[in-house]
Amino acid sequence: MLSMRWVIWWNILIALYAPGPSIGQTATPTICEDESCRCDSFTRVICSCTKELEEVTLRPQGAYRIPPMTTGISIEGCHSVTFLQNTIRSLIQLRTVELKNISNIMIRERALDWSPFSRDSEMNPGIRLTIENSTVSEIASHSIQGRINEVLISNSRIINLRPFAFSSLTGVKSVEFINNDFINIDIQTFKKFTTSNFIIRGGTIHNLPSRFLSDVEVTNLFRLDGVKIKYLSSLTFLVTAPKRILIENNVIDTIEGDCFHMVSRGPITFRNNSVTVLNKGALLGFSVQREVIAVMGRQELLIDNNTITNLTPAALVYNQTVLTMRVDGLNLNNSCTCELAEEWHDIYNKQGGIINCWYELEGYFISLPTFVSIRCGTFKQTFWIFVAVGFLFIVLAAGIAIFFIVRKENEKKKKLQIVLPDGKTYKETEFHVIVERAELLTTDL
């Protein structure tokens, strides 16, 4: 605290003793004098664009630079916003950067690098970065570094995330991405920092590359919730120390083996996910810290109500030395067969969980043991064949019987006998009935 006050007074003294502009010179304008921006009494830079295609460029030096005593930056409704290199490095009083409804955001290399205080002190303040309802064309490599307390990006489209875009951060409490559409993500986007919470909720991701999170320590909650993902590479998440890992409500096309390389301090939940392909060893990377094992014993890996199409028992292999697995619901998105039941026999016997398959005859999922009890076995597998053959035989016999009965009745109707007055009998005699009509005769008198 004393060091912070000393820095503030030092800047005031420099400002007081700095030579003013000489005669004939004019002071360099700051961004406060930009057409789209102003600075309020709290030394916040506020830019609100009202015209089409308005652009705002934030720079550390030169004309229309950011004033050194700025405490906040708030920009809304602009067509384009660009942060140049070292934009906020010297802004000691800065606490918030807020961007909302921006058509194009460009964050250059080291643009949001902010480390005015010692890294060792947890009492020093940091910056809160929020981006809402915007399009981020690029977050360049090493662009966000230093003392960043919170990162919240929501309802936005992120076109390019470059390597080390978020790296060497300190004092981070939360990193949250809510309902965003990620187009291109390079490897090692998040590198070497500690945060209390790391959350990705909602939105779409085309491809999460290897080492998306690399050497990241999450001390409280890691959550991947409600995201549509096409591809999860091997070693996507290299994360240590979360107390809770929640991976739930996601729709994922492919999860590669060893995707989750995570060392937890508590339970791990894999719930309500729909996965097309879960490859061998996809869950094998989950582990638990030794200190936790020594005190609390093995932690639980919960598999609850997931629907997976292409899956083999090898995909559910896990680290049994530090984890126990509980299967509360696993829907195999395949038609029930006795061969499928045999393939999963050891798993559901060992885990004692609920593993279901799709029962086409009834149109819903049923448990494998239930299917085995009603359809499998030598007699049960051939029973329905006998039933079908018997049914066809009965239908055929009934058809033949009906044919002969109808034929016999028709023959009886044709054989009609007629006895005439002369004593002769004729069969199959045809009668022709002629109707005559008599007309009234009139006579002229």
Side-chain angles (χ1 to χ4, degrees), residues 125-161:
I127 291 176
R128 185 175 191 267
L129 170 63
T130 61
I131 300 175
E132 181 181 348
N133 195 33
S134 300
T135 296
V136 182
S137 60
E138 182 175 84
I139 300 179
S141 298
H142 308 286
S143 61
I144 301 174
Q145 293 183 319
R147 188 79 185 194
I148 308 295
N149 282 356
E150 294 182 56
V151 175
L152 174 59
I153 301 178
S154 62
N155 302 306
S156 296
R157 189 167 185 257
I158 303 171
I159 298 176
N160 287 300
L161 273 177

Side-chain angles (χ1 to χ4, degrees), residues 181-302:
D181 183 14
F182 294 85
I183 305 302
N184 178 61
I185 301 175
D186 291 339
I187 63 172
Q188 300 194 80
T189 300
F190 297 88
K191 175 71 173 179
K192 200 173 184 179
F193 65 88
T194 299
T195 178
S196 295
N197 301 308
F198 189 95
I199 299 170
I200 302 178
R201 181 185 295 122
T204 61
I205 300 175
H206 294 264
N207 176 30
L208 276 179
S210 180
R211 300 178 184 274
F212 169 64
L213 268 67
S214 181
D215 195 16
V216 174
E217 183 180 62
V218 180
T219 58
N220 184 42
L221 173 65
F222 174 90
R223 186 168 194 169
L224 185 66
D225 182 7
V227 188
K228 292 182 179 179
I229 306 172
K230 286 189 176 181
Y231 188 77
L232 280 175
S233 306
S234 295
L235 302 177
T236 295
F237 302 103
L238 275 69
V239 177
T240 59
K243 288 183 179 178
R244 188 74 190 275
I245 297 175
L246 291 175
I247 301 165
E248 55 187 3
N249 306 314
N250 302 290
V251 178
I252 305 172
D253 286 356
T254 302
I255 301 178
E256 288 292 355
D258 205 21
C259 169
F260 304 100
H261 202 80
M262 310 177 76
V263 182
S264 176
R265 291 189 294 149
I268 301 165
T269 300
F270 194 81
R271 175 192 292 134
N272 294 335
N273 300 288
S274 178
V275 182
T276 303
V277 179
L278 186 70
N279 281 322
K280 180 179 179 180
L283 308 179
L284 190 57
F286 286 120
S287 186
V288 180
Q289 287 185 347
R290 292 181 180 179
E291 296 80 3
V292 174
I293 296 297
V295 176
M296 303 176 62
R298 292 189 297 170
Q299 297 297 297
E300 182 179 73
L301 172 59
L302 173 62

Side-chain angles (χ1 to χ4, degrees), residues 223-398:
R223 186 168 194 169
L224 185 66
D225 182 7
V227 188
K228 292 182 179 179
I229 306 172
K230 286 189 176 181
Y231 188 77
L232 280 175
S233 306
S234 295
L235 302 177
T236 295
F237 302 103
L238 275 69
V239 177
T240 59
K243 288 183 179 178
R244 188 74 190 275
I245 297 175
L246 291 175
I247 301 165
E248 55 187 3
N249 306 314
N250 302 290
V251 178
I252 305 172
D253 286 356
T254 302
I255 301 178
E256 288 292 355
D258 205 21
C259 169
F260 304 100
H261 202 80
M262 310 177 76
V263 182
S264 176
R265 291 189 294 149
I268 301 165
T269 300
F270 194 81
R271 175 192 292 134
N272 294 335
N273 300 288
S274 178
V275 182
T276 303
V277 179
L278 186 70
N279 281 322
K280 180 179 179 180
L283 308 179
L284 190 57
F286 286 120
S287 186
V288 180
Q289 287 185 347
R290 292 181 180 179
E291 296 80 3
V292 174
I293 296 297
V295 176
M296 303 176 62
R298 292 189 297 170
Q299 297 297 297
E300 182 179 73
L301 172 59
L302 173 62
I303 308 296
D304 182 17
N305 196 34
N306 299 281
T307 300
I308 304 174
T309 302
N310 295 325
L311 174 70
T312 64
L316 297 185
V317 174
Y318 66 99
N319 189 341
Q320 299 184 33
T321 60
V322 296
L323 290 168
T324 61
M325 178 181 283
R326 179 159 61 95
V327 181
D328 273 357
L330 176 60
N331 296 324
L332 306 176
N333 197 19
N334 294 284
S335 298
C336 295
T337 63
C338 296
E339 291 76 15
L340 182 69
E342 182 64 26
E343 182 182 8
W344 286 90
H345 179 268
D346 292 340
I347 294 293
Y348 68 71
N349 274 353
K350 184 176 181 180
Q351 302 298 335
I354 302 172
I355 302 177
N356 304 317
C357 58
W358 182 254
Y359 192 32
E360 290 186 347
L361 190 63
E362 299 293 340
Y364 54 75
F365 285 101
I366 65 170
S367 68
L368 286 176
T370 301
F371 176 76
V372 169
S373 66
I374 62 176
R375 293 297 302 273
C376 296
T378 305
F379 172 74
K380 292 175 181 177
Q381 291 185 57
T382 58
F383 173 75
W384 292 105
I385 297 176
F386 289 120
V387 170
V389 171
F391 177 76
L392 291 175
F393 177 78
I394 292 172
V395 170
L396 182 62

